[in-house]
Amino acid sequence: MKIEPKIVGNVCLTAHPAGAAAEVKKQIKYVQSKGALQGPKNVLVLGCSGGYGLATRIVCAYACNSTTLGASFEREPAANKTASVGWYNNAAFSKFAAQDGKKEATLNIDAFSEAGKTAVVAAAKKLFGDEKIDFVVYSLASPMRAAPDGQVYKSVLKPIGKAYKGKTVDIFTGSIKEVEVEPANDEEIKATVKVMGGEDWVLWIDALLKANLLAKHAVTVAYSYIGPELTYAIYREGTIGRAKDHLEKSAAQIMESLSELEGGAYVSVNKAVVTRASSVIPVVPLYISLLFKIMKENGKHEGCIEQEYRMMQRMYNEGQPVKTDSQRRIRLDDWEMEEAVQARIKKIWADINEENLKTLGDLESVRKEFMNLHGFEVEGINYDEDIDPQKV
Ligand code: NAD
């Protein structure tokens, strides 16, 4: 079949396998062009199929020569239906890794479930043999979680306390609309923390410790976001922000669990990028389009792969302690949050409209990155070709 983008809201329901593979290859090439890094030997990446998790995995495999075990939860392809893009990304990563002599295994499991954890433990024993895991990356982004208490929790992207009124953009038409989002109730706040907070990260580290799979000095990292004041109401001070507060607090709890191994638990505050997860947050795509324009102009534009290369440099810096802020967070959002960058965005924000967005923002890059993220509009791919979505 001919595979075309099918987009509803800011969600793309289809994915192109050849385009996705080309995008994975591009990330590998970036890492190869940057050169080798010191790093962990054996890595587990939870949420390995896209965005920050995939980028971290690629940096580990291709800069640090790590053996990587990846787990994610993606839709498989059917005869007349494409897989989700993460499924194709995983297939491409496995193919390139095999060609390049990189050891890896990849699982499609629900990481929140007991069964998923058991499957990963078994796969880790098989892949790493007598060796243990040095580095665990927790990079899940999900709208829901079936928790061990038997309940299914759904996360929401809502403000807390009072309704939020703000601007949001349709990535594809450029139309800017005022949105009003009603505040979350207590149940919704609790549910979002259950899904995107640190509870499951803690459970993962406990499960790996119980299985005696973590090495001495093992390190784990999870990803967070802060962002500028203009997104606070919907992000950092909203339901997702509560979850991130919980995630950040969980690092301290995990530090204690890892104390016997003299290990470390970190949260890395990453910059805003275009991923499946960020595209559905109100306000954020508009903010990102202004951010991209400025960061491209000042030569500091980054995507997931550039961010993760920098993170691994910081984490494994010749045995030096990891540089963090006063709350023990790694700040990869340093360039995004530079005063000059944020002052410009603040100045533009109040007056942004559909007309001046074309010159003050870079919505086209956001749109293109979103398409590329799903394997579309990738250079060198023949989109007229008939493709079997099950064949990769
Ligand atoms: P993404 O949507 O690109 O990737 C999410 C990953 O989670 C995928 O691999 C998916 O398969 C996996 N996943 C979801 N549910 C799962 C389940 N039940 N079991 C196993 N795997 C599951 O998201 P992303 O933007 O890379 O987000 C990763 C982390 O980075 C999140 O914590 C997010 O908040 C954080 N972050 C994102 C941004 C951004 O701008 N995108 C910025 C800072 C921090």
Side-chain angles (χ1 to χ4, degrees), residues 47-53 71-74 109-112 139-142 144 196 223-225 235 244 270-273 275-278 288:
C48 68
S49 61
Y52 277 120
S72 57
F73 202 28
E74 298 290 342
I109 49 107
D110 176 2
F112 293 131
S139 187
L140 301 187
S142 173
M144 61 164 77
M196 289 298 288
Y223 298 132
S224 188
Y225 183 65
Y235 198 96
K244 292 301 184 192
N270 294 358
K271 84 172 270 271
V273 290
T275 65
R276 284 179 289 173
S278 67
I288 291 183

PDB file of all heavy atoms in Angstrom, residues 47-53 71-74 109-112 139-142 144 196 223-225 235 244 270-273 275-278 288, ligand 1:
ATOM      1  N   GLY A  47      11.249   2.985  27.305  1.00  0.00           N
ATOM      2  CA  GLY A  47      10.747   4.048  26.425  1.00  0.00           C
ATOM      3  C   GLY A  47      11.749   4.311  25.313  1.00  0.00           C
ATOM      4  O   GLY A  47      12.087   5.454  25.020  1.00  0.00           O
ATOM      5  N   CYS A  48      12.217   3.201  24.690  1.00  0.00           N
ATOM      6  CA  CYS A  48      13.352   3.282  23.753  1.00  0.00           C
ATOM      7  C   CYS A  48      12.966   3.638  22.326  1.00  0.00           C
ATOM      8  O   CYS A  48      13.822   3.800  21.464  1.00  0.00           O
ATOM      9  CB  CYS A  48      14.080   1.936  23.729  1.00  0.00           C
ATOM     10  SG  CYS A  48      13.069   0.614  22.985  1.00  0.00           S
ATOM     11  N   SER A  49      11.669   3.746  22.028  1.00  0.00           N
ATOM     12  CA  SER A  49      11.261   3.741  20.620  1.00  0.00           C
ATOM     13  C   SER A  49      11.088   5.116  19.986  1.00  0.00           C
ATOM     14  O   SER A  49      10.766   5.207  18.804  1.00  0.00           O
ATOM     15  CB  SER A  49       9.930   2.998  20.498  1.00  0.00           C
ATOM     16  OG  SER A  49       8.955   3.671  21.269  1.00  0.00           O
ATOM     17  N   GLY A  50      11.297   6.162  20.745  1.00  0.00           N
ATOM     18  CA  GLY A  50      11.122   7.490  20.152  1.00  0.00           C
ATOM     19  C   GLY A  50      11.643   8.557  21.066  1.00  0.00           C
ATOM     20  O   GLY A  50      12.052   8.284  22.213  1.00  0.00           O
ATOM     21  N   GLY A  51      11.677   9.776  20.573  1.00  0.00           N
ATOM     22  CA  GLY A  51      12.014  10.942  21.384  1.00  0.00           C
ATOM     23  C   GLY A  51      13.314  10.786  22.151  1.00  0.00           C
ATOM     24  O   GLY A  51      14.329  10.316  21.617  1.00  0.00           O
ATOM     25  N   TYR A  52      13.268  11.170  23.421  1.00  0.00           N
ATOM     26  CA  TYR A  52      14.485  11.188  24.235  1.00  0.00           C
ATOM     27  C   TYR A  52      15.036   9.787  24.524  1.00  0.00           C
ATOM     28  O   TYR A  52      16.245   9.603  24.630  1.00  0.00           O
ATOM     29  CB  TYR A  52      14.225  11.951  25.536  1.00  0.00           C
ATOM     30  CG  TYR A  52      14.365  13.444  25.336  1.00  0.00           C
ATOM     31  CD1 TYR A  52      13.311  14.315  25.579  1.00  0.00           C
ATOM     32  CD2 TYR A  52      15.558  13.979  24.871  1.00  0.00           C
ATOM     33  CE1 TYR A  52      13.457  15.689  25.377  1.00  0.00           C
ATOM     34  CE2 TYR A  52      15.710  15.339  24.660  1.00  0.00           C
ATOM     35  CZ  TYR A  52      14.662  16.197  24.917  1.00  0.00           C
ATOM     36  OH  TYR A  52      14.820  17.534  24.709  1.00  0.00           O
ATOM     37  N   GLY A  53      14.157   8.797  24.666  1.00  0.00           N
ATOM     38  CA  GLY A  53      14.630   7.441  24.961  1.00  0.00           C
ATOM     39  C   GLY A  53      15.425   6.860  23.798  1.00  0.00           C
ATOM     40  O   GLY A  53      16.526   6.322  23.982  1.00  0.00           O
ATOM     41  N   ALA A  71      13.033  -1.268  25.846  1.00  0.00           N
ATOM     42  CA  ALA A  71      11.639  -1.700  25.989  1.00  0.00           C
ATOM     43  C   ALA A  71      10.725  -0.523  25.689  1.00  0.00           C
ATOM     44  O   ALA A  71      11.004   0.608  26.090  1.00  0.00           O
ATOM     45  CB  ALA A  71      11.385  -2.216  27.400  1.00  0.00           C
ATOM     46  N   SER A  72       9.671  -0.797  24.965  1.00  0.00           N
ATOM     47  CA  SER A  72       8.673   0.237  24.699  1.00  0.00           C
ATOM     48  C   SER A  72       7.364  -0.457  24.347  1.00  0.00           C
ATOM     49  O   SER A  72       7.307  -1.694  24.246  1.00  0.00           O
ATOM     50  CB  SER A  72       9.134   1.156  23.569  1.00  0.00           C
ATOM     51  OG  SER A  72       9.395   0.403  22.411  1.00  0.00           O
ATOM     52  N   PHE A  73       6.327   0.359  24.161  1.00  0.00           N
ATOM     53  CA  PHE A  73       5.001  -0.204  23.952  1.00  0.00           C
ATOM     54  C   PHE A  73       4.434   0.416  22.687  1.00  0.00           C
ATOM     55  O   PHE A  73       3.992   1.565  22.703  1.00  0.00           O
ATOM     56  CB  PHE A  73       4.134   0.161  25.159  1.00  0.00           C
ATOM     57  CG  PHE A  73       2.943  -0.723  25.386  1.00  0.00           C
ATOM     58  CD1 PHE A  73       2.941  -2.050  24.969  1.00  0.00           C
ATOM     59  CD2 PHE A  73       1.828  -0.244  26.066  1.00  0.00           C
ATOM     60  CE1 PHE A  73       1.852  -2.860  25.218  1.00  0.00           C
ATOM     61  CE2 PHE A  73       0.731  -1.054  26.314  1.00  0.00           C
ATOM     62  CZ  PHE A  73       0.750  -2.371  25.888  1.00  0.00           C
ATOM     63  N   GLU A  74       4.476  -0.321  21.601  1.00  0.00           N
ATOM     64  CA  GLU A  74       4.108   0.226  20.299  1.00  0.00           C
ATOM     65  C   GLU A  74       3.132  -0.687  19.573  1.00  0.00           C
ATOM     66  O   GLU A  74       3.081  -1.889  19.836  1.00  0.00           O
ATOM     67  CB  GLU A  74       5.378   0.416  19.452  1.00  0.00           C
ATOM     68  CG  GLU A  74       6.386   1.398  20.052  1.00  0.00           C
ATOM     69  CD  GLU A  74       5.915   2.851  20.028  1.00  0.00           C
ATOM     70  OE1 GLU A  74       4.982   3.172  19.265  1.00  0.00           O
ATOM     71  OE2 GLU A  74       6.471   3.667  20.789  1.00  0.00           O
ATOM     72  N   ILE A 109       6.617  -4.262  25.273  1.00  0.00           N
ATOM     73  CA  ILE A 109       5.876  -4.663  26.488  1.00  0.00           C
ATOM     74  C   ILE A 109       5.253  -3.441  27.152  1.00  0.00           C
ATOM     75  O   ILE A 109       5.673  -2.322  26.886  1.00  0.00           O
ATOM     76  CB  ILE A 109       6.808  -5.340  27.531  1.00  0.00           C
ATOM     77  CG1 ILE A 109       8.075  -4.486  27.745  1.00  0.00           C
ATOM     78  CG2 ILE A 109       7.183  -6.753  27.144  1.00  0.00           C
ATOM     79  CD1 ILE A 109       8.182  -3.753  28.989  1.00  0.00           C
ATOM     80  N   ASP A 110       4.287  -3.674  28.008  1.00  0.00           N
ATOM     81  CA  ASP A 110       3.765  -2.590  28.827  1.00  0.00           C
ATOM     82  C   ASP A 110       4.673  -2.468  30.049  1.00  0.00           C
ATOM     83  O   ASP A 110       4.644  -3.322  30.942  1.00  0.00           O
ATOM     84  CB  ASP A 110       2.318  -2.906  29.245  1.00  0.00           C
ATOM     85  CG  ASP A 110       1.754  -1.841  30.183  1.00  0.00           C
ATOM     86  OD1 ASP A 110       2.466  -0.851  30.461  1.00  0.00           O
ATOM     87  OD2 ASP A 110       0.600  -2.010  30.628  1.00  0.00           O
ATOM     88  N   ALA A 111       5.483  -1.427  30.048  1.00  0.00           N
ATOM     89  CA  ALA A 111       6.492  -1.276  31.107  1.00  0.00           C
ATOM     90  C   ALA A 111       5.867  -1.067  32.483  1.00  0.00           C
ATOM     91  O   ALA A 111       6.511  -1.281  33.504  1.00  0.00           O
ATOM     92  CB  ALA A 111       7.405  -0.102  30.775  1.00  0.00           C
ATOM     93  N   PHE A 112       4.613  -0.626  32.517  1.00  0.00           N
ATOM     94  CA  PHE A 112       3.950  -0.399  33.808  1.00  0.00           C
ATOM     95  C   PHE A 112       3.523  -1.718  34.456  1.00  0.00           C
ATOM     96  O   PHE A 112       3.233  -1.766  35.637  1.00  0.00           O
ATOM     97  CB  PHE A 112       2.705   0.468  33.622  1.00  0.00           C
ATOM     98  CG  PHE A 112       3.010   1.894  33.184  1.00  0.00           C
ATOM     99  CD1 PHE A 112       2.334   2.466  32.120  1.00  0.00           C
ATOM    100  CD2 PHE A 112       3.966   2.649  33.859  1.00  0.00           C
ATOM    101  CE1 PHE A 112       2.595   3.782  31.727  1.00  0.00           C
ATOM    102  CE2 PHE A 112       4.232   3.969  33.471  1.00  0.00           C
ATOM    103  CZ  PHE A 112       3.545   4.535  32.403  1.00  0.00           C
ATOM    104  N   SER A 139      12.358   6.736  30.311  1.00  0.00           N
ATOM    105  CA  SER A 139      11.900   7.790  29.389  1.00  0.00           C
ATOM    106  C   SER A 139      10.492   7.500  28.871  1.00  0.00           C
ATOM    107  O   SER A 139      10.226   7.629  27.673  1.00  0.00           O
ATOM    108  CB  SER A 139      12.888   7.912  28.224  1.00  0.00           C
ATOM    109  OG  SER A 139      12.570   9.019  27.421  1.00  0.00           O
ATOM    110  N   LEU A 140       9.616   7.109  29.788  1.00  0.00           N
ATOM    111  CA  LEU A 140       8.245   6.813  29.361  1.00  0.00           C
ATOM    112  C   LEU A 140       7.420   8.094  29.285  1.00  0.00           C
ATOM    113  O   LEU A 140       7.544   8.977  30.122  1.00  0.00           O
ATOM    114  CB  LEU A 140       7.558   5.865  30.349  1.00  0.00           C
ATOM    115  CG  LEU A 140       8.182   4.501  30.596  1.00  0.00           C
ATOM    116  CD1 LEU A 140       7.243   3.662  31.468  1.00  0.00           C
ATOM    117  CD2 LEU A 140       8.475   3.777  29.318  1.00  0.00           C
ATOM    118  N   ALA A 141       6.584   8.174  28.270  1.00  0.00           N
ATOM    119  CA  ALA A 141       5.561   9.228  28.218  1.00  0.00           C
ATOM    120  C   ALA A 141       4.300   8.532  27.751  1.00  0.00           C
ATOM    121  O   ALA A 141       4.273   7.946  26.669  1.00  0.00           O
ATOM    122  CB  ALA A 141       5.965  10.333  27.251  1.00  0.00           C
ATOM    123  N   SER A 142       3.280   8.560  28.609  1.00  0.00           N
ATOM    124  CA  SER A 142       2.088   7.793  28.287  1.00  0.00           C
ATOM    125  C   SER A 142       0.835   8.516  28.775  1.00  0.00           C
ATOM    126  O   SER A 142       0.865   9.190  29.804  1.00  0.00           O
ATOM    127  CB  SER A 142       2.187   6.412  28.974  1.00  0.00           C
ATOM    128  OG  SER A 142       0.975   5.713  28.814  1.00  0.00           O
ATOM    129  N   MET A 144      -1.758   6.888  29.811  1.00  0.00           N
ATOM    130  CA  MET A 144      -2.426   6.070  30.841  1.00  0.00           C
ATOM    131  C   MET A 144      -1.518   4.997  31.418  1.00  0.00           C
ATOM    132  O   MET A 144      -0.494   4.646  30.837  1.00  0.00           O
ATOM    133  CB  MET A 144      -3.688   5.433  30.262  1.00  0.00           C
ATOM    134  CG  MET A 144      -3.423   4.514  29.090  1.00  0.00           C
ATOM    135  SD  MET A 144      -4.834   3.488  28.780  1.00  0.00           S
ATOM    136  CE  MET A 144      -5.883   4.651  27.953  1.00  0.00           C
ATOM    137  N   MET A 196       2.547   9.767  35.237  1.00  0.00           N
ATOM    138  CA  MET A 196       3.795  10.403  34.805  1.00  0.00           C
ATOM    139  C   MET A 196       4.746  10.755  35.962  1.00  0.00           C
ATOM    140  O   MET A 196       5.813  11.311  35.738  1.00  0.00           O
ATOM    141  CB  MET A 196       3.483  11.670  33.992  1.00  0.00           C
ATOM    142  CG  MET A 196       2.897  11.395  32.614  1.00  0.00           C
ATOM    143  SD  MET A 196       4.003  10.474  31.498  1.00  0.00           S
ATOM    144  CE  MET A 196       5.234  11.719  31.117  1.00  0.00           C
ATOM    145  N   TYR A 223      13.547  11.805  32.788  1.00  0.00           N
ATOM    146  CA  TYR A 223      13.524  13.120  32.148  1.00  0.00           C
ATOM    147  C   TYR A 223      12.376  13.996  32.621  1.00  0.00           C
ATOM    148  O   TYR A 223      11.255  13.526  32.813  1.00  0.00           O
ATOM    149  CB  TYR A 223      13.457  12.948  30.631  1.00  0.00           C
ATOM    150  CG  TYR A 223      14.676  12.218  30.103  1.00  0.00           C
ATOM    151  CD1 TYR A 223      14.563  11.152  29.220  1.00  0.00           C
ATOM    152  CD2 TYR A 223      15.944  12.593  30.522  1.00  0.00           C
ATOM    153  CE1 TYR A 223      15.684  10.478  28.755  1.00  0.00           C
ATOM    154  CE2 TYR A 223      17.079  11.930  30.068  1.00  0.00           C
ATOM    155  CZ  TYR A 223      16.939  10.876  29.181  1.00  0.00           C
ATOM    156  OH  TYR A 223      18.054  10.223  28.741  1.00  0.00           O
ATOM    157  N   SER A 224      12.706  15.265  32.768  1.00  0.00           N
ATOM    158  CA  SER A 224      11.705  16.228  33.217  1.00  0.00           C
ATOM    159  C   SER A 224      11.741  17.472  32.349  1.00  0.00           C
ATOM    160  O   SER A 224      12.577  17.594  31.445  1.00  0.00           O
ATOM    161  CB  SER A 224      11.979  16.578  34.692  1.00  0.00           C
ATOM    162  OG  SER A 224      10.931  17.361  35.218  1.00  0.00           O
ATOM    163  N   TYR A 225      10.822  18.395  32.637  1.00  0.00           N
ATOM    164  CA  TYR A 225      10.778  19.652  31.907  1.00  0.00           C
ATOM    165  C   TYR A 225      10.326  20.750  32.861  1.00  0.00           C
ATOM    166  O   TYR A 225       9.512  20.509  33.752  1.00  0.00           O
ATOM    167  CB  TYR A 225       9.815  19.551  30.716  1.00  0.00           C
ATOM    168  CG  TYR A 225       9.789  20.802  29.865  1.00  0.00           C
ATOM    169  CD1 TYR A 225      10.926  21.203  29.168  1.00  0.00           C
ATOM    170  CD2 TYR A 225       8.657  21.596  29.800  1.00  0.00           C
ATOM    171  CE1 TYR A 225      10.927  22.373  28.410  1.00  0.00           C
ATOM    172  CE2 TYR A 225       8.649  22.766  29.031  1.00  0.00           C
ATOM    173  CZ  TYR A 225       9.791  23.142  28.351  1.00  0.00           C
ATOM    174  OH  TYR A 225       9.798  24.295  27.603  1.00  0.00           O
ATOM    175  N   TYR A 235       1.861  23.780  32.186  1.00  0.00           N
ATOM    176  CA  TYR A 235       2.859  22.727  32.330  1.00  0.00           C
ATOM    177  C   TYR A 235       3.353  22.588  33.771  1.00  0.00           C
ATOM    178  O   TYR A 235       2.841  21.769  34.524  1.00  0.00           O
ATOM    179  CB  TYR A 235       4.034  22.916  31.335  1.00  0.00           C
ATOM    180  CG  TYR A 235       4.807  21.613  31.203  1.00  0.00           C
ATOM    181  CD1 TYR A 235       4.545  20.722  30.174  1.00  0.00           C
ATOM    182  CD2 TYR A 235       5.735  21.240  32.168  1.00  0.00           C
ATOM    183  CE1 TYR A 235       5.196  19.494  30.104  1.00  0.00           C
ATOM    184  CE2 TYR A 235       6.391  20.020  32.105  1.00  0.00           C
ATOM    185  CZ  TYR A 235       6.126  19.153  31.076  1.00  0.00           C
ATOM    186  OH  TYR A 235       6.756  17.944  31.013  1.00  0.00           O
ATOM    187  N   LYS A 244       5.838  15.767  37.472  1.00  0.00           N
ATOM    188  CA  LYS A 244       7.294  15.963  37.380  1.00  0.00           C
ATOM    189  C   LYS A 244       7.898  16.245  38.759  1.00  0.00           C
ATOM    190  O   LYS A 244       8.997  15.795  39.056  1.00  0.00           O
ATOM    191  CB  LYS A 244       7.628  17.086  36.389  1.00  0.00           C
ATOM    192  CG  LYS A 244       7.316  16.732  34.936  1.00  0.00           C
ATOM    193  CD  LYS A 244       8.072  15.494  34.446  1.00  0.00           C
ATOM    194  CE  LYS A 244       7.846  15.193  32.982  1.00  0.00           C
ATOM    195  NZ  LYS A 244       8.346  13.864  32.579  1.00  0.00           N
ATOM    196  N   ASN A 270      15.270  18.387  30.410  1.00  0.00           N
ATOM    197  CA  ASN A 270      15.615  18.540  28.993  1.00  0.00           C
ATOM    198  C   ASN A 270      14.900  19.726  28.371  1.00  0.00           C
ATOM    199  O   ASN A 270      13.978  20.280  28.942  1.00  0.00           O
ATOM    200  CB  ASN A 270      15.231  17.262  28.241  1.00  0.00           C
ATOM    201  CG  ASN A 270      16.070  16.077  28.678  1.00  0.00           C
ATOM    202  OD1 ASN A 270      16.954  16.212  29.512  1.00  0.00           O
ATOM    203  ND2 ASN A 270      15.794  14.926  28.119  1.00  0.00           N
ATOM    204  N   LYS A 271      15.321  20.055  27.162  1.00  0.00           N
ATOM    205  CA  LYS A 271      14.685  21.202  26.498  1.00  0.00           C
ATOM    206  C   LYS A 271      13.413  20.763  25.775  1.00  0.00           C
ATOM    207  O   LYS A 271      13.195  19.563  25.554  1.00  0.00           O
ATOM    208  CB  LYS A 271      15.658  21.865  25.526  1.00  0.00           C
ATOM    209  CG  LYS A 271      15.733  21.232  24.158  1.00  0.00           C
ATOM    210  CD  LYS A 271      16.573  22.070  23.207  1.00  0.00           C
ATOM    211  CE  LYS A 271      15.773  23.115  22.446  1.00  0.00           C
ATOM    212  NZ  LYS A 271      15.219  22.646  21.184  1.00  0.00           N
ATOM    213  N   ALA A 272      12.602  21.722  25.383  1.00  0.00           N
ATOM    214  CA  ALA A 272      11.387  21.425  24.621  1.00  0.00           C
ATOM    215  C   ALA A 272      11.753  21.042  23.188  1.00  0.00           C
ATOM    216  O   ALA A 272      12.482  21.779  22.514  1.00  0.00           O
ATOM    217  CB  ALA A 272      10.486  22.656  24.615  1.00  0.00           C
ATOM    218  N   VAL A 273      11.305  19.892  22.763  1.00  0.00           N
ATOM    219  CA  VAL A 273      11.553  19.419  21.396  1.00  0.00           C
ATOM    220  C   VAL A 273      10.240  18.872  20.832  1.00  0.00           C
ATOM    221  O   VAL A 273       9.270  18.680  21.563  1.00  0.00           O
ATOM    222  CB  VAL A 273      12.629  18.292  21.373  1.00  0.00           C
ATOM    223  CG1 VAL A 273      14.009  18.825  21.705  1.00  0.00           C
ATOM    224  CG2 VAL A 273      12.253  17.153  22.307  1.00  0.00           C
ATOM    225  N   THR A 275       8.201  15.986  19.847  1.00  0.00           N
ATOM    226  CA  THR A 275       8.044  14.530  19.930  1.00  0.00           C
ATOM    227  C   THR A 275       6.552  14.240  19.911  1.00  0.00           C
ATOM    228  O   THR A 275       5.736  15.164  19.986  1.00  0.00           O
ATOM    229  CB  THR A 275       8.632  13.941  21.247  1.00  0.00           C
ATOM    230  OG1 THR A 275       7.862  14.443  22.341  1.00  0.00           O
ATOM    231  CG2 THR A 275      10.087  14.290  21.442  1.00  0.00           C
ATOM    232  N   ARG A 276       6.216  12.955  19.872  1.00  0.00           N
ATOM    233  CA  ARG A 276       4.793  12.607  19.913  1.00  0.00           C
ATOM    234  C   ARG A 276       4.162  13.159  21.189  1.00  0.00           C
ATOM    235  O   ARG A 276       3.041  13.649  21.189  1.00  0.00           O
ATOM    236  CB  ARG A 276       4.616  11.083  19.839  1.00  0.00           C
ATOM    237  CG  ARG A 276       4.823  10.526  18.454  1.00  0.00           C
ATOM    238  CD  ARG A 276       4.662   9.018  18.457  1.00  0.00           C
ATOM    239  NE  ARG A 276       5.770   8.356  19.131  1.00  0.00           N
ATOM    240  CZ  ARG A 276       5.816   7.059  19.399  1.00  0.00           C
ATOM    241  NH1 ARG A 276       4.792   6.288  19.083  1.00  0.00           N
ATOM    242  NH2 ARG A 276       6.860   6.517  19.982  1.00  0.00           N
ATOM    243  N   ALA A 277       4.929  13.074  22.298  1.00  0.00           N
ATOM    244  CA  ALA A 277       4.383  13.504  23.589  1.00  0.00           C
ATOM    245  C   ALA A 277       4.171  15.015  23.638  1.00  0.00           C
ATOM    246  O   ALA A 277       3.134  15.494  24.102  1.00  0.00           O
ATOM    247  CB  ALA A 277       5.314  13.053  24.718  1.00  0.00           C
ATOM    248  N   SER A 278       5.150  15.798  23.165  1.00  0.00           N
ATOM    249  CA  SER A 278       5.044  17.252  23.337  1.00  0.00           C
ATOM    250  C   SER A 278       4.043  17.880  22.372  1.00  0.00           C
ATOM    251  O   SER A 278       3.518  18.960  22.634  1.00  0.00           O
ATOM    252  CB  SER A 278       6.412  17.921  23.178  1.00  0.00           C
ATOM    253  OG  SER A 278       6.874  17.807  21.859  1.00  0.00           O
ATOM    254  N   ILE A 288       7.343  26.391  21.090  1.00  0.00           N
ATOM    255  CA  ILE A 288       8.491  25.739  20.432  1.00  0.00           C
ATOM    256  C   ILE A 288       8.814  26.430  19.098  1.00  0.00           C
ATOM    257  O   ILE A 288       9.972  26.565  18.731  1.00  0.00           O
ATOM    258  CB  ILE A 288       8.223  24.225  20.216  1.00  0.00           C
ATOM    259  CG1 ILE A 288       8.202  23.489  21.570  1.00  0.00           C
ATOM    260  CG2 ILE A 288       9.283  23.598  19.330  1.00  0.00           C
ATOM    261  CD1 ILE A 288       8.006  21.984  21.473  1.00  0.00           C
TER     262      ILE A 288
HETATM  263  P1  NAD B   1       7.845   9.995  23.209  1.00  0.00           P
HETATM  264  O1  NAD B   1       6.386  10.011  23.052  1.00  0.00           O
HETATM  265  O2  NAD B   1       8.704  10.343  22.048  1.00  0.00           O
HETATM  266  O3  NAD B   1       8.344   8.590  23.777  1.00  0.00           O
HETATM  267  C1  NAD B   1       7.664   7.930  24.809  1.00  0.00           C
HETATM  268  C2  NAD B   1       8.170   6.524  24.956  1.00  0.00           C
HETATM  269  O4  NAD B   1       7.433   5.885  26.008  1.00  0.00           O
HETATM  270  C3  NAD B   1       7.971   5.639  23.708  1.00  0.00           C
HETATM  271  O5  NAD B   1       9.095   4.818  23.535  1.00  0.00           O
HETATM  272  C4  NAD B   1       6.759   4.767  24.073  1.00  0.00           C
HETATM  273  O6  NAD B   1       6.699   3.513  23.433  1.00  0.00           O
HETATM  274  C5  NAD B   1       7.053   4.588  25.558  1.00  0.00           C
HETATM  275  N1  NAD B   1       5.882   4.119  26.310  1.00  0.00           N
HETATM  276  C6  NAD B   1       4.692   4.738  26.510  1.00  0.00           C
HETATM  277  N2  NAD B   1       3.890   3.952  27.261  1.00  0.00           N
HETATM  278  C7  NAD B   1       4.587   2.820  27.536  1.00  0.00           C
HETATM  279  C8  NAD B   1       4.305   1.635  28.267  1.00  0.00           C
HETATM  280  N3  NAD B   1       3.135   1.454  28.883  1.00  0.00           N
HETATM  281  N4  NAD B   1       5.263   0.674  28.310  1.00  0.00           N
HETATM  282  C9  NAD B   1       6.448   0.828  27.681  1.00  0.00           C
HETATM  283  N5  NAD B   1       6.772   1.941  26.987  1.00  0.00           N
HETATM  284  C10 NAD B   1       5.849   2.916  26.920  1.00  0.00           C
HETATM  285  O7  NAD B   1       8.131  10.999  24.442  1.00  0.00           O
HETATM  286  P2  NAD B   1       9.320  11.960  24.831  1.00  0.00           P
HETATM  287  O8  NAD B   1       8.916  13.343  24.516  1.00  0.00           O
HETATM  288  O9  NAD B   1      10.637  11.449  24.369  1.00  0.00           O
HETATM  289  O10 NAD B   1       9.233  11.835  26.424  1.00  0.00           O
HETATM  290  C11 NAD B   1      10.109  11.054  27.195  1.00  0.00           C
HETATM  291  C12 NAD B   1      10.361  11.777  28.508  1.00  0.00           C
HETATM  292  O11 NAD B   1      11.020  13.021  28.241  1.00  0.00           O
HETATM  293  C13 NAD B   1       9.071  12.126  29.269  1.00  0.00           C
HETATM  294  O12 NAD B   1       9.284  11.972  30.636  1.00  0.00           O
HETATM  295  C14 NAD B   1       8.882  13.603  28.937  1.00  0.00           C
HETATM  296  O13 NAD B   1       8.114  14.292  29.883  1.00  0.00           O
HETATM  297  C15 NAD B   1      10.335  14.053  28.931  1.00  0.00           C
HETATM  298  N6  NAD B   1      10.584  15.357  28.276  1.00  0.00           N
HETATM  299  C16 NAD B   1      10.089  15.623  27.027  1.00  0.00           C
HETATM  300  C17 NAD B   1      10.305  16.876  26.469  1.00  0.00           C
HETATM  301  C18 NAD B   1       9.765  17.215  25.093  1.00  0.00           C
HETATM  302  O14 NAD B   1       9.774  18.404  24.723  1.00  0.00           O
HETATM  303  N7  NAD B   1       9.322  16.258  24.314  1.00  0.00           N
HETATM  304  C19 NAD B   1      11.054  17.834  27.164  1.00  0.00           C
HETATM  305  C20 NAD B   1      11.584  17.514  28.409  1.00  0.00           C
HETATM  306  C21 NAD B   1      11.340  16.265  28.961  1.00  0.00           C
END
